[in-house]
Amino acid sequence: MKLSRREFNRLLALGAAAHYVPNLHAQTPSRKTGYCIVGLGRISMQHFMPAIKSSPKARVTALVSGHRDKAERMAAEYGVPTSSIYSYDNYDAIAGNPNIDAVYIALPNSMHAEYSIRAAKAGKHVLCEKPMSTTVADARAMIAACQQARKKLMIGYRCHLEPVNLRAVQLIREGRLGQIQAIESTFGFNIGPNEWRTNRKLAGGGGHLLPQRLPLSHRRRAGGHRRPLLRDRS
């Protein structure tokens, strides 16, 4: 089974919606899970938001951006009222918006922890893009904040849910391929010279962090490893 990134994001939106509010649709069939999109960049505007548009269980109900003009354009496209456009300065005001059930964090890596924690404190569930954070301490703080607020925290690792990957993991763990001696994998994509992923402060590890982390994480998972891969270096 082959899924494009857009198709997978649609499935992720559906699954996350059901995960966050499992009894909501039984009570109000027309009610869709409302997402506040935090960060209007490539992954949110070109992948996640178009996927939500085609989902019967989720909708975009608010936007957070440092660029008001861009936010207003996206708001018009997705039917978001201008009163539900927020800046990073008044982000905490999402607490007073009943149309927001969950936030989707699509910010540079180093900002994931702060805005996930603030979302939890605002009473919203959190779907955060990978990686979860840039330090172990930040990851633990995100978990603690969501537990304290009694809100769900989910990280958008698609490899953990894709049917082809799940089947590969099953075959390996059942011993159908014999004893695994080595796994070779590659992953990469093109980025521009001025993108935030090339900035160590924003990315938390430079432009190589994502291409290295995804294959390594999946190889360890396929092999049944559960212990942390890296120690906290913060």
Side-chain angles (χ1 to χ4, degrees):
M1 181 179 183
K2 245 176 133 179
L3 292 176
S4 68
R5 179 172 227 164
R6 180 169 295 186
E7 289 167 338
F8 178 78
N9 276 324
R10 179 177 179 274
L11 293 177
L12 182 63
L14 285 169
H19 182 63
Y20 288 141
V21 281
N23 298 317
L24 183 60
H25 302 294
Q27 299 170 3
T28 54
S30 61
R31 176 72 158 85
K32 293 184 176 183
T33 300
Y35 278 96
C36 174
I37 310 299
V38 185
L40 297 180
R42 180 172 57 195
I43 195 167
S44 59
M45 294 194 301
Q46 296 181 18
H47 299 291
F48 191 78
M49 292 173 71
I52 280 193
K53 184 183 287 187
S54 62
S55 169
K57 294 186 177 180
R59 63 184 179 132
V60 177
T61 55
L63 303 170
V64 178
S65 175
H67 302 278
R68 181 75 186 193
D69 55 342
K70 183 195 297 185
E72 289 181 352
R73 289 198 305 271
M74 298 306 294
E77 181 177 345
Y78 285 85
V80 175
T82 55
S83 59
S84 292
I85 297 176
Y86 302 89
S87 67
Y88 297 111
D89 291 331
N90 70 348
Y91 173 65
D92 300 315
I94 64 173
N97 191 332
N99 293 319
I100 301 174
D101 301 302
V103 301
Y104 170 63
I105 307 293
L107 295 168
N109 303 341
S110 62
M111 302 170 71
H112 287 183
E114 176 187 348
Y115 285 87
S116 293
I117 291 170
R118 289 169 68 181
K121 290 181 177 180
K124 310 301 179 183
H125 300 290
V126 179
L127 173 57
C128 180
E129 263 301 337
K130 54 193 174 295
M132 182 174 181
S133 64
T134 56
T135 68
V136 173
D138 278 350
R140 288 173 175 162
M142 291 166 66
I143 294 171
C146 288
Q147 287 178 335
Q148 184 174 0
R150 300 176 66 87
K151 297 300 172 183
K152 299 289 187 181
L153 170 62
M154 182 177 181
I155 309 302
Y157 276 106
R158 60 186 179 86
C159 290
H160 294 181
L161 301 174
E162 286 180 339
V164 171
N165 287 323
L166 292 176
R167 178 59 174 159
V169 171
Q170 180 184 10
L171 291 173
I172 291 173
R173 293 184 180 178
E174 290 178 351
R176 303 278 294 277
L177 304 180
Q179 184 175 359
I180 303 300
Q181 301 295 328
I183 299 176
E184 182 177 343
S185 58
T186 60
F187 176 77
F189 55 90
N190 296 322
I191 59 175
N194 297 317
E195 287 198 25
W196 63 261
R197 287 184 178 86
T198 63
N199 183 314
R200 184 178 180 86
K201 182 178 180 180
L202 292 176
H208 68 282
L209 181 62
L210 181 63
Q212 285 188 355
R213 185 187 69 254
L214 283 177
L216 189 56
S217 172
H218 191 58
R219 289 199 303 269
R220 287 175 54 82
R221 181 170 177 270
H225 293 279
R226 289 291 183 268
R227 297 181 64 185
L229 178 61
L230 297 175
R231 294 180 179 177
D232 192 2
R233 296 178 297 173
S234 58

